[in-house]
């Protein structure tokens, strides 16, 4: 008995195991497996039995790929919603002046960190004003220790007046973002000042990004704080206004993040001495 090419159940079984990851339903797959539609998908394919003719896994995946492509295209065209809210409506929900001052203060803090902590030549003055934790309070380093510059490559900090401040001083210097490695010798702390090498410049540039990331986190925390305040107005202000105020808060936050990022980029170019 002559037999044509048969699409076996084994081939369909391999494809059926992929069903959980497919977008087409089992019913549609069965319909696509009918002799009429199968012939449309693969013209000229011979089968020995019309009732058992099925699509091969490769043919089935072709349909699924087309479905994914359309979904991806639609997703790429989505745009972020923009806030439509007046200043008066904003003022009903949050203290706009206080919020803007809060965001500006965070960005200004990043600017001051760059000025004080990220210079090619670490100044003695930068160390003197580092905040040091001592007995639950915070003090400038020069109030708990004496800072002396022995030579261009070394600073010595004498903490004999407050020896209990030594651990806080060491921690403050290491976390200052100046890429310094303090070494403790009794109540004295020796701080080697690295030479201005390419590696040193790159480390300072990394510190600039670290400080930016910290600033970004602070801005996001502030954003969430004011969004929570906006949500507390639900019931006394329309839902549309609450929704748009939240969008506006996010827009304002993103602008300040972009400002801080531009500041980081400029600082990194300065440290690396690039013109890109």
């Amino acid at each position: 008995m002559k037999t044509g090419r048969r699409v076996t159940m084994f081939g369909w079984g391999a494809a059926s195991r992929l069903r959980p990851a497919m977008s087409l339903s089992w019913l549609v797959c069965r319909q696509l497996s009918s002799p009429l539609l199968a012939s449309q998908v693969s013209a000229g394919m011979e089968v020995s039995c019309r009732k058992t003719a099925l699509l091969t896994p490769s043919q089935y995946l072709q349909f699924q790929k087309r479905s994914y492509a359309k979904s991806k295209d639609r997703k790429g065209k989505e745009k972020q919603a923009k806030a439509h809210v007046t200043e008066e409506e904003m003022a009903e929900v949050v203290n706009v002046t206080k919020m803007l001052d809060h965001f500006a203060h965070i960005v200004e803090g990043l600017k001051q960190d760059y000025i004080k902590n990220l210079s090619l030549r670490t100044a003695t003055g930068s160390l003197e004003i580092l905040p040091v934790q001592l007995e639950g309070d915070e003090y400038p380093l020069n109030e708990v220790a004496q800072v002396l510059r022995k030579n261009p490559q070394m600073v010595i900090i004498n903490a004999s007046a407050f020896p209990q401040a030594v651990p806080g001083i060491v921690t403050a210097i290491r976390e200052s973002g100046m890429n310094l490695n303090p070494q403790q010798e009794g109540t004295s702390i020796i701080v080697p000042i690295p030479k201005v090498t390419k590696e040193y410049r790159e480390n300072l540039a990394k510190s600039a990004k670290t400080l930016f990331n910290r600033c970004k986190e602070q801005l996001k925390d502030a954003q969430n704080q004011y969004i929570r305040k906006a949500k507390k107005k639900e019931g006394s202000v329309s839902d549309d206004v609450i929704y748009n105020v939240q969008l506006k808060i996010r827009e304002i936050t993103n602008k300040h993040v972009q400002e801080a990022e531009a500041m980081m980029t400029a600082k990194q170019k300065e440290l690396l001495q690039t013109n890109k």
Side-chain angles (χ1 to χ4, degrees), residues 32-80:
L32 289 174
S33 301
S34 67
L36 178 59
L37 291 179
S39 63
Q40 294 175 352
V41 173
S42 181
M45 184 180 68
E46 297 180 4
V47 296
S48 59
C49 179
R50 291 191 176 186
K51 293 184 179 181
T52 60
L54 300 169
L55 292 179
T56 64
S58 61
Q59 293 167 346
Y60 176 65
L61 290 173
Q62 287 178 359
F63 281 93
Q64 197 271 336
K65 286 180 180 179
R66 292 172 191 155
S67 178
Y68 273 167
K70 293 179 181 178
S71 177
K72 185 176 180 180
D73 291 342
R74 286 196 299 269
K75 184 176 180 180
K77 293 180 181 178
E78 292 180 359
K79 294 183 179 179
Q80 186 176 0

Side-chain angles (χ1 to χ4, degrees), residues 171-185:
T171 300
I173 295 173
R174 284 178 177 166
E175 297 179 354
S176 65
M178 291 187 281
N179 280 302
L180 299 176
N181 185 26
Q183 302 171 7
Q184 180 183 350
E185 293 185 2

Side-chain angles (χ1 to χ4, degrees), residues 117 122-123 126-127 130 155 170 173-183 190-194 200 204 207:
N117 302 330
T122 304
S126 298
L127 290 172
L130 280 179
V155 171
V170 172
I173 295 173
R174 284 178 177 166
E175 297 179 354
S176 65
M178 291 187 281
N179 280 302
L180 299 176
N181 185 26
Q183 302 171 7
I190 300 174
V191 185
I193 307 300
Y200 180 58
L204 287 179
S207 295

Side-chain angles (χ1 to χ4, degrees), residues 240-275:
D240 287 343
V241 171
I242 295 293
Y243 174 76
N244 281 290
V245 166
Q246 292 180 58
L247 289 181
K248 191 64 177 180
I249 292 173
R250 290 189 174 92
E251 286 180 10
I252 294 172
T253 304
N254 290 337
K255 287 181 180 179
H256 283 83
V257 170
Q258 291 171 4
E259 180 182 351
E261 187 173 10
M263 195 182 300
M264 175 199 69
T265 302
K267 189 64 179 180
Q268 287 181 326
K269 287 182 178 179
E270 173 192 331
L271 294 170
L272 298 173
Q273 291 186 346
T274 61
N275 297 320

Side-chain angles (χ1 to χ4, degrees), residues 40 201 236:
Q40 294 175 352
R201 292 176 185 274
S236 59

Side-chain angles (χ1 to χ4, degrees), residues 20-258:
M22 302 303 180
S23 60
L24 295 178
S25 69
W26 178 261
L27 177 60
V28 173
C29 297
R30 297 295 296 178
Q31 291 175 345
L32 289 174
S33 301
S34 67
L36 178 59
L37 291 179
S39 63
Q40 294 175 352
V41 173
S42 181
M45 184 180 68
E46 297 180 4
V47 296
S48 59
C49 179
R50 291 191 176 186
K51 293 184 179 181
T52 60
L54 300 169
L55 292 179
T56 64
S58 61
Q59 293 167 346
Y60 176 65
L61 290 173
Q62 287 178 359
F63 281 93
Q64 197 271 336
K65 286 180 180 179
R66 292 172 191 155
S67 178
Y68 273 167
K70 293 179 181 178
S71 177
K72 185 176 180 180
D73 291 342
R74 286 196 299 269
K75 184 176 180 180
K77 293 180 181 178
E78 292 180 359
K79 294 183 179 179
Q80 186 176 0
K82 292 186 178 180
H84 300 283
V85 61
T86 65
E87 293 181 4
E88 292 76 12
E89 291 172 332
M90 282 283 293
E92 292 181 12
V93 180
V94 295
N95 188 328
V96 180
T97 301
K98 182 179 180 180
M99 180 181 66
L100 294 177
D101 288 344
H102 190 177
F103 288 147
H105 178 73
I106 294 173
V107 176
E108 179 63 22
L110 176 65
K111 180 179 179 181
Q112 294 303 318
D113 282 341
Y114 282 169
I115 294 173
K116 295 174 184 177
N117 302 330
L118 294 182
S119 59
L120 294 176
R121 292 288 183 182
T122 304
T124 304
S126 298
L127 290 172
E128 289 178 345
I129 61 177
L130 280 179
V132 176
Q133 294 291 332
L134 176 61
E135 297 178 351
D137 291 322
E138 192 174 84
Y139 303 91
L141 193 153
N142 59 2
E143 290 187 11
V144 297
Q146 184 181 15
V147 182
L148 302 172
R149 193 177 188 98
K150 187 174 181 179
N151 57 57
Q153 274 71 49
M154 184 178 296
V155 171
I156 297 179
I157 300 173
N158 182 1
S160 57
F162 296 95
Q164 66 272 30
V166 171
I169 293 173
V170 172
T171 300
I173 295 173
R174 284 178 177 166
E175 297 179 354
S176 65
M178 291 187 281
N179 280 302
L180 299 176
N181 185 26
Q183 302 171 7
Q184 180 183 350
E185 293 185 2
T187 58
S188 296
I189 301 169
I190 300 174
V191 185
I193 307 300
K195 293 182 179 180
V196 184
T197 62
K198 179 181 178 181
E199 182 180 2
Y200 180 58
R201 292 176 185 274
E202 291 174 348
N203 287 334
L204 287 179
K206 291 179 181 177
S207 295
K209 185 173 183 179
T210 299
L211 292 173
F212 161 72
N213 287 334
R214 186 172 69 183
C215 173
K216 183 178 179 180
E217 290 176 0
Q218 292 173 346
L219 288 170
K220 293 297 183 180
D221 288 342
Q223 168 191 281
N224 296 335
Q225 173 186 335
Y226 289 102
I227 286 179
R228 286 194 296 269
K229 289 182 179 181
K231 289 181 177 180
K232 290 181 180 180
K233 295 289 185 176
E234 292 178 350
S236 59
V237 182
S238 71
D239 292 343
D240 287 343
V241 171
I242 295 293
Y243 174 76
N244 281 290
V245 166
Q246 292 180 58
L247 289 181
K248 191 64 177 180
I249 292 173
R250 290 189 174 92
E251 286 180 10
I252 294 172
T253 304
N254 290 337
K255 287 181 180 179
H256 283 83
V257 170
Q258 291 171 4

